[in-house]
Amino acid sequence: LAFNVTILGTSSMVPTRHRGAPAVLVEHAGEFILVDCGEGTQRQMNIAGKSRARIRKVLLTHWHGDHVGGLAPLLQTLFNGSYEGTLELWGPAGTRQRMGHLACAMEIELDRIRITELEPPLDSVQVFWANDSYQLSCAAMRHGVLTVAYAIATHGRRRVDMQRAAALGLSPGPLVGQLQRGEVVESGGRVIRPEDVTYWQPGRKLTLVTDTTPTQEIVELARGADVLLCESTYGSEHEDLASAYNHMTAKQVGMLARKAEVGQLVLTHFSQRYDSVQPLLDEARSEFPETIAAEDFLNFQI
Ligand SMILES: [Zn+2]
């Protein structure tokens, strides 16, 4: 299990009776990465039974109010409580200045936050953080204001096929460890190469895209992802609105998922005009069958 994902809000622009403002919680190795923080995110976390104290990273896509409206109150809660360590926060260029404005207006302890601004070059995906377990990457979107989309991916690793290893006379131990690290070993007078007994297990990948018009960068950022969680603000009947407001239709999103060859597409960020999002789901599925529509508190593992 690489990621435990909880979608906290699935509305666009305004919260509705059944849908909160945008926010997604990604759990990896016991820590939380929060992607966007719409108003009401704290309450959504309460309902989902997720502890705020475990948030270690915040990734902001852009500074439209529906995506950041819950940030100041969340930070106040964290730093008034028993939060330990430094919170890491990333966002598009301008994020540091905007965080300064928030801190002036609402008494936020900025010295407890490490802010990094992202300016991914056009037409490419930028890896901006990694440890030995996973990496974070981003790409520039087109939404009228500076916007980035994110991918969270665990590293692939070499695994030992113990049946094949045993057939060559190896048992668990240091030699197997060396093979796993890609080293050639000698056992019982014979040379064993990593490719004789190991295989490559690819990492897991989640791509989160909101808000934007369709771009090639989405395809690059989502390429091969196990799950693409993507805005799907409108149906094709409102393609003109989608284009005017720099959003996407479900059909456009389905086409991107197909091009990127993702495993599963999850639609979110729905216009409040849709009481039922079934028409959007049908539309996306006509392009990419492996599609579901998110509800608030949808939880899935990758
Ligand atoms: Zn927006």
Side-chain angles (χ1 to χ4, degrees):
L1 174 74
F3 305 117
N4 184 18
V5 183
T6 306
I7 300 179
L8 296 171
T10 57
S11 188
S12 75
M13 279 124 53
V14 285
T16 67
R17 184 178 163 84
H18 296 292
R19 297 185 184 275
V24 181
L25 196 66
V26 181
E27 184 174 355
H28 174 77
E31 293 186 350
F32 290 159
I33 304 166
L34 180 66
V35 185
D36 282 343
C37 186
E39 72 177 278
T41 292
Q42 293 193 84
R43 185 162 185 268
Q44 298 293 83
M45 287 187 72
N46 289 349
I47 296 169
K50 302 293 182 184
S51 162
R52 288 182 282 266
R54 286 166 67 190
I55 298 174
R56 285 290 171 273
K57 295 179 171 63
V58 176
L59 308 178
L60 301 179
T61 60
H62 65 302
W63 279 84
H64 278 158
D66 52 333
H67 291 255
V68 294
L71 188 57
L74 170 70
L75 295 174
Q76 286 188 334
T77 304
L78 288 183
F79 300 147
N80 286 336
S82 58
Y83 190 79
E84 288 171 11
T86 302
L87 182 75
E88 295 187 274
L89 183 144
W90 288 267
T95 289
R96 192 170 286 113
Q97 186 187 34
R98 290 173 187 275
M99 288 297 293
H101 294 326
L102 271 192
C104 284
M106 287 189 256
E107 299 285 340
I108 292 162
E109 295 175 60
L110 274 191
D111 56 349
R112 299 191 63 180
I113 311 174
R114 188 181 308 127
I115 300 167
T116 308
E117 297 189 346
L118 298 168
E119 294 180 79
L122 287 176
D123 307 324
S124 72
V125 170
Q126 180 183 37
V127 177
F128 61 89
W129 184 93
N131 67 5
D132 57 9
S133 172
Y134 72 106
Q135 69 177 32
L136 304 173
S137 51
C138 68
M141 297 291 108
R142 289 181 206 147
H143 186 51
V145 299
L146 288 174
T147 302
V148 291
Y150 295 97
I152 306 174
T154 57
H155 304 306
R157 55 174 62 189
R158 192 183 294 278
R159 294 269 190 197
V160 176
D161 180 336
M162 277 317 296
Q163 273 191 335
R164 278 159 65 193
L168 293 174
L170 290 169
S171 50
L175 287 182
V176 169
Q178 280 177 266
L179 286 161
Q180 193 165 18
R181 290 193 294 276
E183 297 168 19
V184 178
V185 303
E186 216 181 292
S187 168
R190 105 195 254 180
V191 172
I192 303 174
R193 299 176 181 285
E195 55 269 32
D196 297 334
V197 294
T198 64
Y199 60 96
W200 186 255
Q201 184 182 64
R204 298 297 182 140
K205 180 173 168 183
L206 165 68
T207 298
L208 308 101
V209 174
T210 186
D211 300 354
T212 183
T213 51
T215 73
Q216 181 59 28
E217 286 84 351
I218 299 171
V219 177
E220 301 307 328
L221 189 69
R223 192 172 297 287
D226 296 279
V227 175
L228 168 61
L229 175 64
C230 191
E231 78 133 291
S232 168
T233 311
Y234 297 102
S236 289
E237 79 282 9
H238 292 303
E239 197 174 341
D240 53 337
L241 290 182
S243 151
Y245 295 118
N246 295 302
H247 284 294
M248 292 193 278
T249 68
K251 187 179 176 68
Q252 290 168 338
V253 176
M255 289 166 70
L256 292 169
R258 178 156 49 77
K259 278 189 204 161
E261 298 183 312
V262 303
Q264 170 101 55
L265 171 63
V266 182
L267 305 178
T268 186
H269 197 275
F270 304 111
S271 164
Q272 61 174 320
R273 77 192 63 231
Y274 298 106
D275 282 332
S276 162
V277 295
Q278 188 64 42
L280 305 193
L281 188 56
D282 293 342
E283 216 179 80
R285 280 181 175 161
S286 72
E287 297 291 338
F288 189 75
E290 295 302 314
T291 303
I292 62 169
E295 298 293 331
D296 284 20
F297 310 112
L298 173 71
N299 174 268
F300 56 88
Q301 276 93 39
I302 300 174

